[in-house]
Amino acid sequence: MRNSWDRRDQSVNQRLYDALTVLQHRGQDAAGIATASGGALSIRKGAGLVRDAFQQHDMLELRGDIGVGHVRYPTAGADGATEAQPFYVNAPYGICLAHNGNLTNASELADVLIREDRRHLNTTSDSEVLLNVFASELQRVGTPRVTAGDIFAALNAVYRRCRGGYAVVAMVIGHGILGFRDPNGIRPLVLGRRETAKGPEWMLASESVALDMLSFQFVRDIGPGEAVFIDEQGRLHSQQLVASVQHTPCIFEYVYFARPDSIMDNISVYRARMRMGDRLAEKILRARRTTISTWSSDSRYQPHGCPAAGAAAGSEVSRGVHQEPLHRPHLHHARAGNAREIRASQAERSGHGVSRQDRAAGG
């Protein structure tokens, strides 16, 4: 699954599309993009890969300079395009939301939303539940013009009501963009910025590789229990909404979900896999001296593995299969993208991760 957005760029549809292609490994069931131009919303969702879900006429209809994109891996609800994200509600404001994670109390929340909050749910998705919880709490604030204070007040209630793991981006049409992360930081969320002649552009994404793809500079990870809001003037507001947090990220982000060239919570995914491989090699050799074969893949439907540095422990190491990405970047991004891919490949062969300084420099 993947969440990302951009702002202040007339080609936001293409940029969201390109970012989704480098995050395709996070979900291959469905994809969706929503953009806004003034008060007008455009949304397109479809089953399958990004390249299958969006045709040229779809892209032409996705107008605007602000948007949200998502690729879906079904962990709750039904498969296919019916539950593709982003989800949308029109009250109290037009809100589009994309969610990565699982709500453990989604059924309980759905019952309360229908019975007490008088909200209509059209799917079985916990993401739609989360959207309606946020919309309901924002409606309680009841101000005609949304401010950062209103957003954070509503999210305080969301944190009280929702349990589980979630990283969320949402667009309040005509007001701004927000992102927030669960109190345990189970799912990742990063913030990027790019300076332009018209002012700063901002981006939130599940992995840093999406920032790299669009030449955004990594700013920082969104912290567990933290929310950020970027208003229509491009001003960034942030607030720690959960005072007591225990950072317990999902281990599968480092061994299964994420791309090796991503950096999450200041940890190189590739180096994390190297270290886990070292520990695995040491454990196996303590029990029995053997040959160790490891596997690596960009596809979530192929076996992932840690590139074990077993040579240091005195064993023979066999580097496994590396599968090419499911979708290549567009031609106009090939030069920067290839440079990063080459750097990542060289780093893998030499046994070193890609530094954040390299990523910030665009290569």
Side-chain angles (χ1 to χ4, degrees), residues 33-76:
I33 293 176
T35 61
S37 179
L41 172 70
S42 301
I43 188 165
R44 165 63 185 170
K45 298 188 282 187
L49 304 177
V50 174
R51 67 188 181 200
D52 301 321
F54 304 102
Q55 305 303 317
Q56 184 176 5
H57 65 272
D58 300 317
M59 298 299 291
L60 293 175
E61 293 173 1
L62 290 168
R63 303 180 183 92
D65 59 0
I66 187 169
V68 177
H70 186 267
V71 291
R72 182 170 188 258
Y73 171 67
T75 55

Side-chain angles (χ1 to χ4, degrees), residues 257-292:
F257 284 114
R259 268 180 43 153
D261 48 342
S262 283
I263 295 181
M264 298 183 298
D265 296 313
N266 293 317
I267 297 173
S268 162
V269 173
Y270 181 80
R271 288 182 177 178
R273 291 176 183 173
M274 286 290 294
R275 289 192 289 268
M276 285 185 280
D278 288 342
R279 295 293 182 89
L280 177 61
E282 292 168 2
K283 182 176 181 178
I284 293 174
L285 289 173
R286 282 197 299 269
R288 181 178 179 181
R289 188 178 183 86
T290 186
T291 297
I292 302 171

Side-chain angles (χ1 to χ4, degrees), residues 291-362:
T291 297
I292 302 171
S293 296
T294 65
W295 293 77
S296 179
S297 169
D298 280 342
S299 170
R300 299 189 42 220
Y301 298 97
Q302 295 289 337
H304 262 285
C306 301
S315 70
E316 178 185 351
V317 176
S318 172
R319 174 70 174 170
V321 174
H322 178 82
Q323 179 170 309
E324 290 298 316
L326 290 168
H327 189 83
R328 288 291 187 183
H330 283 264
L331 181 61
H332 60 274
H333 288 299
R335 180 177 300 174
N338 287 345
R340 281 187 290 275
E341 290 173 8
I342 291 169
R343 182 75 61 84
S345 176
Q346 291 173 340
E348 288 192 11
R349 287 196 294 272
S350 64
H352 299 287
V354 181
S355 71
R356 173 155 291 161
Q357 290 78 12
D358 286 342
R359 295 189 308 102

Side-chain angles (χ1 to χ4, degrees), residues 7-8 200 202 229-237:
R7 101 177 285 283
R8 287 193 179 186
W202 297 93
F229 177 66
I230 295 94
D231 62 28
E232 282 290 281
Q233 288 71 46
R235 296 172 299 199
L236 175 69
H237 311 264

